[in-house]
Amino acid sequence: MNIKIPHVIIDCDPGADDFFALLWALGLHKKKTIRILAITTTGGNVGAEITYQNALRACEFLGVIDVPVGKSDIIVKSPDASHIHGADGLWNASKYLPKVKIPKISLSSDALLETVIKKHPETQILTFWPLTNIARLLKKDIHPTRIIMMGGAVRVPGNVTPVAEFNIAYDPESADAVFTNANHTVLLPLDVTSQLIFTRHEMNTILSDLKGKKAKFLEALTLHTFKTNMAFRETAGMEWFLVHDASVIAMLIYPHLFRGQFLPVRVETKWELTRGQTVTDLRNVAQPNTHTFVVTDVDRDRFMESMVQDFLNFL
Ligand code: RIB
Ligand code: CA
């Protein structure tokens, strides 16, 4: 019996932790553990042109040439996070990589999402940035089999306001539309990703067999990400960073590492103090939308073991 491997579209805004998640997914694609049908990008952590180039860089980094990469023309009016991810979105670590080869004809993220899902109805969307592209897709009544997303904060504080997490706060209207209209969603909020602490131990293990420019790139990216996480007081002063986005990749193929519950989720879009807050309902009342599985816990040590060993397999 041939087991069908997951067919996915990755929707992202590579900045640093997106880049790690993208590398993990591309490595699994090379190993034929998953099949990436397309990578779609738009502005978020940094501008749309930079996130597009960084997605191309991730493919080149692993020599993946069979995955189309889309660029978006959507300009969402929200402050990006270039102050966190650096001008090139990779803390200027891109200087260790060859100049990225930009295709003569760039594909549109919107068009890729639509054509791929129409052709492959089994497609799952893995998203670790604002939900702008996906809301536009659902508005055309085009539905993936499942959406696995990193975003939100359910029982913990936000990271861009007291109550809002960056991916949701960047485009709250789109996020609310996705939680309301999608058929099957898995949400990995800060409640669980703030447990995914990546330390020098994991970095040294991943780099143990890697030499040359690739090793210098990954080391520079990791060290800068340590610095920014510490500067944003996400690490209690310790040298580590949170692998928010890689949680989406793990949820796809290591679901046994996670626990959670189905909860109705909406997003506050109106009021200044709470705009971008993910609102759930824990009361014992009949719930209108029961299609969002909210992940609340993870086995951090076995998560890191899976991620590091997979990286050692394909780097
Ligand atoms: O809040 C964390 C999220 O915001 C991550 O996806 C990170 O890449 C940024 O997009
Ligand atoms: Ca992201």
Side-chain angles (χ1 to χ4, degrees):
M1 175 184 71
N2 71 324
I3 296 179
K4 201 162 178 44
I5 62 170
H7 287 190
V8 300
I9 293 178
I10 298 183
D11 194 43
C12 58
D13 63 335
D17 68 313
D18 292 59
F19 202 90
F20 274 94
L22 210 38
L23 283 185
W24 192 1
L26 287 162
L28 295 165
H29 172 85
K30 278 181 80 173
K31 292 285 178 190
K32 302 201 182 327
T33 308
I34 67 173
R35 185 174 162 212
I36 305 177
L37 298 168
I39 296 172
T40 52
T41 66
T42 199
N45 280 316
V46 285
E49 184 58 39
I50 302 288
T51 57
Y52 171 62
Q53 289 183 19
N54 288 338
L56 294 169
R57 278 196 174 98
C59 294
E60 284 179 24
F61 192 89
L62 289 179
V64 171
I65 55 171
D66 61 345
V67 174
V69 178
K71 182 165 88 169
S72 187
D73 52 6
I74 309 166
I75 306 292
V76 180
K77 299 257 174 293
S78 287
D80 69 22
S82 45
H83 57 296
I84 297 178
H85 295 275
D88 68 348
L90 299 171
W91 267 110
N92 306 315
S94 59
K95 65 187 175 202
Y96 294 110
L97 299 180
K99 197 165 167 13
V100 63
K101 296 183 199 69
I102 312 280
K104 287 192 180 43
I105 303 156
S106 58
L107 301 166
S108 139
S109 291
D110 265 355
L112 261 181
L113 279 162
E114 195 168 326
T115 45
V116 167
I117 291 174
K118 278 180 178 168
K119 190 172 170 206
H120 300 275
E122 78 281 7
T123 301
Q124 299 183 58
I125 296 183
L126 311 184
T127 177
F128 18 91
W129 79 280
L131 294 166
T132 313
N133 285 343
I134 298 178
R136 281 167 60 135
L137 188 72
L138 298 180
K139 213 166 168 188
K140 298 172 200 166
D141 202 19
I142 299 170
H143 288 260
T145 296
R146 181 168 67 155
I147 302 169
I148 305 179
M149 67 172 82
M150 187 277 141
V154 174
R155 297 183 180 86
V156 298
N159 58 4
V160 283
T161 77
V163 294
E165 176 278 330
F166 176 84
N167 290 340
I168 304 297
Y170 189 84
D171 185 354
E173 285 76 10
S174 291
D176 190 47
V178 171
F179 287 124
T180 309
N181 302 315
N183 294 334
H184 180 185
T185 305
V186 177
L187 175 67
L188 291 131
L190 292 176
D191 306 55
V192 65
T193 64
S194 53
Q195 299 174 47
L196 295 174
I197 292 171
F198 184 95
T199 70
R200 264 190 190 267
H201 169 70
E202 282 77 35
M203 179 186 84
N204 295 337
T205 310
I206 286 177
L207 294 177
S208 54
D209 292 345
L210 200 59
K211 302 281 174 277
K213 296 259 188 210
K214 282 189 175 182
K216 282 193 180 307
F217 166 78
L218 281 181
E219 185 179 36
L221 190 63
T222 308
L223 294 178
H224 275 304
T225 311
F226 284 153
K227 252 168 59 177
T228 46
N229 269 236
M230 289 170 78
F232 280 87
R233 303 185 190 182
E234 289 190 342
T235 71
M238 308 290 281
E239 190 182 43
W240 69 50
F241 76 86
L242 303 176
V243 280
H244 299 289
D245 295 340
S247 65
V248 172
I249 311 304
M251 186 69 212
L252 180 71
I253 54 163
Y254 294 101
H256 55 280
L257 297 180
F258 298 91
R259 279 198 304 279
Q261 58 192 135
F262 280 95
L263 284 171
V265 180
R266 293 295 307 272
V267 177
E268 173 56 72
T269 58
K270 299 277 178 292
W271 306 110
E272 184 196 348
L273 289 182
T274 53
R275 179 169 163 78
Q277 181 175 10
T278 36
V279 181
T280 59
D281 190 346
L282 297 165
R283 295 171 301 165
N284 184 20
V285 293
Q287 299 294 356
N289 69 359
T290 55
H291 48 265
T292 303
F293 185 77
V294 178
V295 179
T296 51
D297 206 9
V298 60
D299 181 332
R300 180 263 173 208
D301 293 343
R302 293 174 78 202
F303 174 101
M304 288 300 162
E305 176 186 51
S306 319
M307 181 168 137
V308 168
Q309 291 309 317
D310 283 352
F311 267 76
L312 289 175
N313 269 340
F314 60 70
L315 277 180

mmCIF file of all heavy atoms in Angstrom, residues 226 229-230 235-241:
data_model
loop_
_atom_site.group_PDB
_atom_site.id
_atom_site.type_symbol
_atom_site.label_atom_id
_atom_site.label_comp_id
_atom_site.label_asym_id
_atom_site.label_seq_id
_atom_site.Cartn_x
_atom_site.Cartn_y
_atom_site.Cartn_z
ATOM 1 N N PHE A 226 19.681 34.757 18.310
ATOM 2 C CA PHE A 226 19.836 34.719 19.777
ATOM 3 C C PHE A 226 19.774 36.155 20.307
ATOM 4 O O PHE A 226 19.015 36.473 21.220
ATOM 5 C CB PHE A 226 21.193 34.128 20.168
ATOM 6 C CG PHE A 226 21.326 32.647 20.044
ATOM 7 C CD1 PHE A 226 22.575 32.081 19.819
ATOM 8 C CD2 PHE A 226 20.231 31.799 20.121
ATOM 9 C CE1 PHE A 226 22.737 30.701 19.701
ATOM 10 C CE2 PHE A 226 20.372 30.416 20.010
ATOM 11 C CZ PHE A 226 21.624 29.883 19.796
ATOM 12 N N ASN A 229 16.316 37.853 20.122
ATOM 13 C CA ASN A 229 15.367 37.275 21.097
ATOM 14 C C ASN A 229 15.700 37.768 22.504
ATOM 15 O O ASN A 229 14.804 38.078 23.285
ATOM 16 C CB ASN A 229 15.414 35.747 21.045
ATOM 17 C CG ASN A 229 14.399 35.158 20.057
ATOM 18 O OD1 ASN A 229 13.580 34.346 20.405
ATOM 19 N ND2 ASN A 229 14.430 35.610 18.821
ATOM 20 N N MET A 230 17.001 37.877 22.788
ATOM 21 C CA MET A 230 17.397 38.350 24.134
ATOM 22 C C MET A 230 17.019 39.816 24.280
ATOM 23 O O MET A 230 16.439 40.234 25.272
ATOM 24 C CB MET A 230 18.909 38.145 24.339
ATOM 25 C CG MET A 230 19.294 36.674 24.480
ATOM 26 S SD MET A 230 21.082 36.427 24.443
ATOM 27 C CE MET A 230 21.527 36.912 26.105
ATOM 28 N N THR A 235 13.804 35.592 26.477
ATOM 29 C CA THR A 235 14.608 34.410 26.848
ATOM 30 C C THR A 235 15.087 34.435 28.295
ATOM 31 O O THR A 235 16.004 33.709 28.648
ATOM 32 C CB THR A 235 15.873 34.352 25.956
ATOM 33 O OG1 THR A 235 16.748 35.435 26.380
ATOM 34 C CG2 THR A 235 15.560 34.514 24.487
ATOM 35 N N ALA A 236 14.498 35.310 29.094
ATOM 36 C CA ALA A 236 14.913 35.411 30.519
ATOM 37 C C ALA A 236 16.422 35.608 30.618
ATOM 38 O O ALA A 236 17.091 35.066 31.507
ATOM 39 C CB ALA A 236 14.498 34.146 31.268
ATOM 40 N N GLY A 237 16.982 36.320 29.606
ATOM 41 C CA GLY A 237 18.419 36.657 29.644
ATOM 42 C C GLY A 237 19.323 35.525 29.191
ATOM 43 O O GLY A 237 20.543 35.672 29.115
ATOM 44 N N MET A 238 18.712 34.385 28.829
ATOM 45 C CA MET A 238 19.550 33.239 28.387
ATOM 46 C C MET A 238 19.791 33.335 26.885
ATOM 47 O O MET A 238 19.024 33.964 26.158
ATOM 48 C CB MET A 238 18.807 31.918 28.681
ATOM 49 C CG MET A 238 18.324 31.790 30.103
ATOM 50 S SD MET A 238 19.701 31.570 31.248
ATOM 51 C CE MET A 238 19.996 29.826 30.969
ATOM 52 N N GLU A 239 20.868 32.696 26.386
ATOM 53 C CA GLU A 239 21.198 32.746 24.956
ATOM 54 C C GLU A 239 20.436 31.636 24.223
ATOM 55 O O GLU A 239 20.875 30.488 24.156
ATOM 56 C CB GLU A 239 22.700 32.577 24.741
ATOM 57 C CG GLU A 239 23.101 32.878 23.300
ATOM 58 C CD GLU A 239 24.593 32.674 23.074
ATOM 59 O OE1 GLU A 239 25.136 31.667 23.564
ATOM 60 O OE2 GLU A 239 25.190 33.529 22.417
ATOM 61 N N TRP A 240 19.231 32.000 23.725
ATOM 62 C CA TRP A 240 18.460 31.036 22.939
ATOM 63 C C TRP A 240 17.483 31.805 22.048
ATOM 64 O O TRP A 240 17.409 33.030 22.123
ATOM 65 C CB TRP A 240 17.726 30.026 23.825
ATOM 66 C CG TRP A 240 16.580 30.524 24.674
ATOM 67 C CD1 TRP A 240 15.505 31.281 24.265
ATOM 68 C CD2 TRP A 240 16.348 30.285 26.065
ATOM 69 N NE1 TRP A 240 14.661 31.528 25.293
ATOM 70 C CE2 TRP A 240 15.134 30.916 26.408
ATOM 71 C CE3 TRP A 240 17.030 29.579 27.056
ATOM 72 C CZ2 TRP A 240 14.604 30.874 27.696
ATOM 73 C CZ3 TRP A 240 16.494 29.548 28.321
ATOM 74 C CH2 TRP A 240 15.303 30.188 28.643
ATOM 75 N N PHE A 241 16.807 31.137 21.154
ATOM 76 C CA PHE A 241 15.693 31.780 20.455
ATOM 77 C C PHE A 241 14.564 30.777 20.302
ATOM 78 O O PHE A 241 14.750 29.571 20.460
ATOM 79 C CB PHE A 241 16.121 32.409 19.120
ATOM 80 C CG PHE A 241 16.362 31.475 17.971
ATOM 81 C CD1 PHE A 241 15.317 31.052 17.150
ATOM 82 C CD2 PHE A 241 17.647 31.045 17.676
ATOM 83 C CE1 PHE A 241 15.543 30.216 16.082
ATOM 84 C CE2 PHE A 241 17.879 30.209 16.590
ATOM 85 C CZ PHE A 241 16.825 29.789 15.803
#
